[in-house]
Amino acid sequence: MSELDLAWEEVTRVLMTPRRPTDGNMEFNEDFSYLQKSFDILHEYDMDGIIREWFFTTVRQQLSGKISPAFWSNYSKPIKSRDVVQTIRESFDKLYSEIAIYISCVQRLAEFERMTASLVDRRDNSESGSTLSHLQLVFKGTVFYSATTHFCDAMFEFLSRAFCAFDAKHFSLGLDDSTDDMCNTLICRGCNEEQELCRCSEVFGAFGRLALQLNELGMMERVFGEPVMLLVHRRIEQRVEKCKDNFDVQHLEALSKWLDTRVGEWLDDLFKTALGSKGTTPYVNDAPSINLFPTHRDRLHHYICTTYGKTRIQQLFNIIIEFPESEPALMDLADCLRSASDLRPVLVKELKEALEARLLHPGVNTSDILTAYISAIRALRVLDSSGVLLDLVCEPVRKYLRSRDDTVRCIVSNLTEDGNSELSDELTKGQPLVLDEAGAGDDCVGSDWELWQPDPVDAEPVRSTTRSRSSDIISMLVNIYGSKELFIEEYRSLLADRILSQFSYDTEREIRYLELLKLRFGESHLHECEVMLKDVGDSRRINAHIQECVRVEEEKTGRPNDAEIPVNAMILSAQFWPARMREEKVELPSCLKDSLASFTKAYELLKGNRTLNWKPHLGLVNVEIELKNKILNYCVSPVHATIIWHYQERPRWTVDELSGVMQMAPHALQRKMAFWQSQGLLREEATDTFVLVEDHKGHVQEVVSVEEDETESVLASPQDQKEEELNIVWVYVVGMLTNLDSLPIDRIHSMLKMFAMQGPGSQYSLSDLKVLLDRKVKEQKLVYTNGMYRLVKH
């Protein structure tokens, strides 16, 4: 062999000769001066730099070929729970004893490099200290480059037991909020065994031994990092679970403080206790930092935000319903959304599903849906002031509200309702409407363009503008339909209903709401409502004037007119009041008709060329009923008064007889008579035969009014109005077909638009007309042949 081969063989043999530590001492002090000649030869052939590369290649081959497979064979299958501690202890003891051999070899390598560096000054002395760190990297990359599922499960089980044992023995450092009295129970809270059979010391001792070994090998974080974080995650979930039912207190700051202080201190004390129980070694200073918490602090804070945020998202529907009491929970959730932006799509999806499942179905009243929608507007603006979340989440609510017939009426009723109505409070703010109109929302233009901010990435710019998303609640409700005309028309109807149902001349409340609505909708749109309220005031003055004239006339003649019934009229301007007044035919008593005629004559004298067209079924009548033993006073509608008035003529009437006298439909009359039955004044003697009850035994009241369920709206229902429009259209159609014999549907529709431009036909679509004509064909009033409609000839 050449001298180069001999030198290489001698150096590599000494370098790889194993020497195990004795008595826990891993320092090796050896004299390598006898190898100086071999180093000189290697240096002469410029091979001294190859020794390091060869060494680590050899170590890597030995680890991957023998040591690593032997270690992982222990975790090739699931480990029983009772064998976890023993398996981990034995497998890591064996791994440590085999890997520790290479530490002496690393020391020799460092000494060899120092000796070769002294031959020529071409190495930095600091590089000799990197050999141990490099060896640790080889350990990590070769043995622990990946972990099997069974190993992860076993390590998680082992650390869970060790942490519980630590909590049991060092209770004040634990994460539980229990009292110290639990430590005095007969069962160990660490291993759930009886105190005499407690294995906590054994488990924690095994953990301390393993922690010391991994720390010396620089693999503490590699092996313990993820399992420790999983255990902390479980503790975080338990902590979050305790605060999930309390909405009126902010918890996120307390959770973060708990994580920074108690969890961090707990992990620090845990590993210090484990390592301190076994003492230290000279190589501890070369190992990485023991404290795991700073490395994972940001991840744990993110996990707290994610876990707490998901919990609040699952409860968000209840949080919205309880707003504003639940505002602290919303502020916490807003912080979570800022820290974990991936929660936004989860929130949108979860809340949409909750709204559709719990709110948007026929079993919920429209008023309740509106209340929830208003709460959602306010609550979601706490989460996202830009309004993007609100726009994304509440689109199904707006779509569903548009499909309900009574949505507009509910909104208008709440706007003008006394009490604690949220909408009436909004109305008093007097802000103008912000509507979603085409081209109305150039968000970049304005006096505050320098403060403009782009929308969040999940915003849908086509759907709405930033200006409309930040509008007030009333504007958002109006934007459900995109037009304020519907609301103005509904307010007109509601105002007419209130005035004509209550028959009160006190309009102070209504004037106040009208002025507030003018600020929102504009004065020109509410001019008709202003005239309606003016009619009420004019009616009061006209009534006072006519009554004064009657009084003066009686004083002149000296004869009071006892036969005439005093009348107070509500005089309406027909052009400004809603046209869809409820019509109901009734024949009033002659004395009441005479009184109305006298009032009309007095009005004509006062107003010249104007007259009155009475609605005999509307109004209130004060009735005094004298029975055998008492006098009863009632305030009822003219129809109810007419019914009881006829019973002074005779005590027994059938429904058909009375309907003939009053000229009312029998079914409508019988429904009205039910009121007097409920008061005990009428009794059904036989089928459809009612008699007067003279011996009234009911409770005496000063004035009895018609019950609320008996009070009907003065305006026709939408169904009745639709039917009336159909009848008008049908009259036009009959006239056309009478003159022109037969016509196609397109020609009928165009003629309706031409001749009925001011009537309902002008808004009657072609599809609506086809439905009407097909219905008349089924009723055999029309014949349809070859695309032409004609009347049936009798």
Side-chain angles (χ1 to χ4, degrees):
M1 297 178 66
S2 64
E3 63 177 4
L4 177 60
D5 292 335
L6 292 173
W8 175 264
E9 182 179 355
E10 184 176 18
V11 170
T12 54
R13 177 180 56 78
V14 173
L15 179 61
M16 296 302 295
T17 300
R19 182 176 179 181
R20 299 180 183 275
T22 57
D23 300 328
N25 183 12
M26 296 184 65
E27 285 200 31
F28 306 93
N29 297 316
E30 297 180 86
D31 183 12
F32 297 110
S33 58
Y34 65 93
L35 295 176
Q36 187 64 50
K37 183 179 179 181
S38 297
F39 286 135
D40 293 339
I41 296 173
L42 292 175
H43 178 65
E44 182 180 348
Y45 286 93
D46 199 23
M47 293 184 62
D48 48 331
I50 303 177
I51 297 176
R52 180 186 181 93
E53 182 179 349
W54 172 86
F55 172 77
F56 285 113
T57 301
T58 303
V59 171
R60 192 177 295 109
Q61 290 174 349
Q62 292 180 1
L63 288 175
S64 60
K66 178 181 177 183
I67 298 175
S68 180
F71 174 78
W72 289 112
S73 64
N74 296 293
Y75 305 99
S76 59
K77 59 183 180 180
I79 301 175
K80 296 180 181 180
S81 179
R82 65 174 181 271
D83 299 331
V84 165
V85 176
Q86 181 180 354
T87 301
I88 287 181
R89 182 176 62 225
E90 292 176 353
S91 63
F92 274 93
D93 281 349
K94 184 177 180 181
L95 178 67
Y96 175 74
S97 64
E98 292 177 344
I99 290 180
I101 295 173
Y102 294 104
I103 295 179
S104 62
C105 298
V106 165
Q107 281 187 308
R108 292 176 185 145
L109 177 63
E111 181 63 22
F112 289 177
E113 290 181 337
R114 185 187 63 77
M115 294 177 66
T116 56
S118 65
L119 298 175
V120 57
D121 189 16
R122 58 187 176 90
R123 283 186 182 272
D124 188 347
N125 288 335
S126 62
E127 289 191 20
S128 61
S130 65
T131 52
L132 182 59
S133 299
H134 192 80
L135 179 65
Q136 292 171 348
L137 290 176
V138 171
F139 291 159
K140 294 177 184 178
T142 305
V143 181
F144 288 101
Y145 68 94
S146 65
T148 66
T149 304
H150 303 314
F151 172 79
C152 295
D153 294 341
M155 185 57 65
F156 185 81
E157 174 73 18
F158 174 70
L159 291 179
S160 298
R161 294 188 186 183
F163 289 6
C164 289
F166 178 74
D167 264 356
K169 299 305 180 184
H170 305 81
F171 187 79
S172 61
L173 301 177
L175 294 178
D176 295 325
D177 293 326
S178 313
T179 60
D180 291 343
D181 294 338
M182 291 185 62
C183 295
N184 298 324
T185 58
L186 298 176
I187 302 298
C188 174
R189 51 186 301 273
C191 57
N192 291 325
E193 298 282 352
E194 295 182 5
Q195 293 288 356
E196 293 79 4
L197 304 175
C198 175
R199 299 182 59 192
C200 289
S201 298
E202 176 189 351
V203 172
F204 194 71
F207 170 75
R209 181 180 178 85
L210 177 59
L212 187 66
Q213 292 171 347
L214 293 176
N215 190 47
E216 291 175 355
L217 298 177
M219 291 188 289
M220 171 85 81
E221 187 168 350
R222 182 79 170 206
V223 176
F224 281 168
E226 287 303 317
V228 168
M229 289 304 105
L230 288 175
L231 287 168
V232 175
H233 287 177
R234 183 172 294 180
R235 296 294 178 95
I236 289 174
E237 292 166 3
Q238 293 171 355
R239 189 81 175 190
V240 169
E241 186 71 17
K242 292 180 180 179
C243 11
K244 72 174 187 177
D245 295 325
N246 191 353
F247 298 156
D248 55 0
V249 177
Q250 287 187 258
H251 296 285
L252 190 59
E253 184 178 354
L255 286 172
S256 298
K257 185 177 180 181
W258 167 79
L259 179 67
D260 289 337
T261 56
R262 201 151 180 208
V263 175
E265 292 173 0
W266 181 77
L267 288 175
D268 218 16
D269 291 339
L270 171 69
F271 285 98
K272 284 180 179 177
T273 303
L275 296 172
S277 64
K278 293 292 181 180
T280 59
T281 71
Y283 291 91
V284 171
N285 293 331
D286 295 331
S289 174
I290 297 172
N291 192 355
L292 296 179
F293 184 68
T295 309
H296 299 276
R297 182 183 180 279
D298 292 339
R299 288 174 56 192
L300 289 176
H301 271 283
H302 184 273
Y303 187 78
I304 275 189
C305 290
T306 302
T307 305
Y308 184 76
K310 287 181 178 179
T311 300
R312 285 299 186 224
I313 287 173
Q314 292 172 357
Q315 303 170 315
L316 190 52
F317 182 85
N318 294 333
I319 293 174
I320 288 173
I321 298 300
E322 294 184 20
F323 188 83
E325 288 78 9
S326 59
E327 186 172 359
L330 287 169
M331 295 174 68
D332 276 348
L333 183 55
D335 291 338
C336 293
L337 292 176
R338 283 189 286 270
S339 301
S341 58
D342 54 330
L343 288 177
R344 287 177 69 95
V346 177
L347 184 149
V348 173
K349 179 177 178 293
E350 292 273 347
L351 187 53
K352 270 188 175 181
E353 292 176 353
L355 289 171
E356 291 174 359
R358 301 178 62 178
L359 197 66
L360 307 183
H361 57 81
V364 183
N365 294 329
T366 303
S367 58
D368 294 333
I369 297 177
L370 283 173
T371 301
Y373 180 47
I374 293 169
S375 294
I377 293 173
R378 292 179 170 175
L380 292 178
R381 281 181 173 168
V382 174
L383 294 181
D384 177 22
S385 58
S386 69
V388 172
L389 279 180
L390 173 63
D391 198 45
L392 294 173
V393 168
C394 291
E395 179 59 26
V397 182
R398 292 189 286 269
K399 184 178 179 181
Y400 185 78
L401 285 171
R402 281 195 296 270
S403 68
R404 287 214 169 186
D405 296 333
D406 59 341
T407 299
V408 178
R409 173 159 281 253
C410 285
I411 294 173
V412 175
S413 298
N414 288 335
L415 275 174
T416 57
E417 188 178 71
D418 286 334
N420 296 323
S421 171
E422 294 184 10
L423 285 183
S424 62
D425 295 339
E426 284 286 322
L427 185 62
T428 57
K429 296 179 181 178
Q431 299 176 2
L433 287 179
V434 179
L435 299 180
D436 282 340
E437 297 175 345
D442 193 355
D443 296 341
C444 298
V445 180
S447 59
D448 58 346
W449 63 271
E450 292 181 330
L451 302 178
W452 177 84
Q453 292 291 330
D455 285 337
V457 293
D458 53 349
E460 296 186 22
V462 178
R463 179 174 293 174
S464 62
T465 63
T466 303
R467 182 166 172 259
S468 63
R469 287 197 299 265
S470 60
S471 57
D472 67 307
I473 292 175
I474 296 179
S475 297
M476 298 197 72
L477 292 175
V478 173
N479 281 329
I480 291 176
Y481 293 91
S483 171
K484 54 187 174 183
E485 282 73 17
L486 275 173
F487 291 85
I488 294 170
E489 185 60 32
E490 187 60 41
Y491 175 66
R492 276 185 67 215
S493 301
L494 186 65
L495 181 61
D497 206 5
R498 283 179 177 169
I499 293 173
L500 300 182
S501 297
Q502 299 171 2
F503 283 94
S504 171
Y505 296 105
D506 184 10
T507 57
E508 181 180 352
R509 168 179 171 271
E510 299 299 344
I511 290 174
R512 173 177 174 268
Y513 282 119
L514 179 61
E515 293 300 322
L516 291 172
L517 288 171
K518 283 181 182 179
L519 297 176
R520 292 277 181 172
F521 296 94
E523 291 193 20
S524 60
H525 294 89
L526 292 164
H527 174 64
E528 293 174 330
C529 298
E530 198 169 10
V531 173
M532 291 165 62
L533 290 176
K534 183 176 180 296
D535 284 346
V536 177
D538 293 343
S539 298
R540 179 171 52 194
R541 289 190 293 271
I542 291 171
N543 288 327
H545 179 78
I546 292 177
Q547 289 170 5
E548 180 64 21
C549 291
V550 171
R551 186 184 62 80
V552 171
E553 184 66 26
E554 289 178 351
E555 289 180 354
K556 285 182 179 180
T557 59
R559 294 177 302 172
N561 190 359
D562 296 332
E564 192 168 294
I565 300 173
V567 174
N568 283 310
M570 187 71 75
I571 303 169
L572 315 180
S573 301
Q575 294 86 355
F576 297 95
W577 287 70
R580 56 186 185 94
M581 290 285 187
R582 178 173 57 86
E583 296 295 338
E584 187 175 313
K585 189 176 180 181
V586 60
E587 183 69 20
L588 297 177
S590 57
C591 61
L592 186 53
K593 290 197 294 185
D594 293 342
S595 299
L596 296 180
S598 299
F599 190 93
T600 302
K601 185 177 179 181
Y603 179 80
E604 291 172 348
L605 290 173
L606 178 64
K607 292 294 183 177
N609 61 347
R610 296 186 183 181
T611 188
L612 297 177
N613 181 20
W614 293 95
K615 299 286 186 181
H617 60 290
L618 300 179
L620 291 174
V621 181
N622 292 319
V623 180
E624 184 179 272
I625 303 175
E626 289 189 23
L627 300 175
K628 290 182 179 179
N629 54 354
K630 64 183 72 171
I631 297 176
L632 301 176
N633 292 303
Y634 289 90
C635 183
V636 295
S637 70
V639 177
H640 290 99
T642 303
I643 291 172
I644 203 66
W645 185 85
H646 283 293
Y647 272 90
Q648 68 181 349
E649 297 177 358
R650 64 185 200 188
R652 181 179 288 100
W653 288 86
T654 65
V655 173
D656 291 336
E657 291 172 344
L658 194 55
S659 67
V661 173
M662 295 180 59
Q663 298 182 13
M664 283 186 67
H667 67 277
L669 176 62
Q670 193 165 5
R671 184 164 52 87
K672 299 290 185 181
M673 295 175 73
F675 169 73
W676 294 116
Q677 277 187 279
S678 67
Q679 297 299 314
L681 291 175
L682 293 184
R683 176 171 54 86
E684 190 170 11
E685 186 180 49
T687 303
D688 293 342
T689 301
F690 294 87
V691 297
L692 181 66
V693 179
E694 291 282 352
D695 299 325
H696 183 265
K697 298 180 180 179
H699 179 67
V700 179
Q701 299 183 39
E702 292 185 0
V703 179
V704 179
S705 299
V706 179
E707 297 294 331
E708 289 184 4
D709 56 349
E710 287 288 335
T711 303
E712 295 182 88
S713 173
V714 299
L715 302 178
S717 65
Q719 293 80 6
D720 294 340
Q721 186 182 10
K722 184 71 173 177
E723 193 64 33
E724 184 180 351
E725 291 176 359
L726 290 177
N727 291 335
I728 296 174
V729 171
W730 173 241
V731 171
Y732 278 103
V733 172
V734 170
M736 295 176 200
L737 296 179
T738 300
N739 295 325
L740 301 174
D741 189 46
S742 62
L743 290 170
I745 188 171
D746 293 336
R747 181 76 182 281
I748 295 173
H749 187 256
S750 62
M751 292 180 70
L752 278 173
K753 294 173 69 176
M754 185 184 303
F755 296 112
M757 189 59 69
Q758 302 303 320
S762 58
Q763 289 85 33
Y764 214 64
S765 67
L766 191 63
S767 58
D768 292 336
L769 180 61
K770 181 170 176 54
V771 171
L772 173 64
L773 296 180
D774 290 345
R775 194 177 82 181
K776 295 302 180 182
V777 171
K778 290 181 180 180
E779 295 174 358
Q780 298 183 359
K781 294 181 180 180
L782 288 178
V783 175
Y784 179 71
T785 53
N786 299 325
M788 307 288 282
Y789 289 93
R790 61 183 175 83
L791 293 172
V792 174
K793 296 181 179 179
H794 298 286

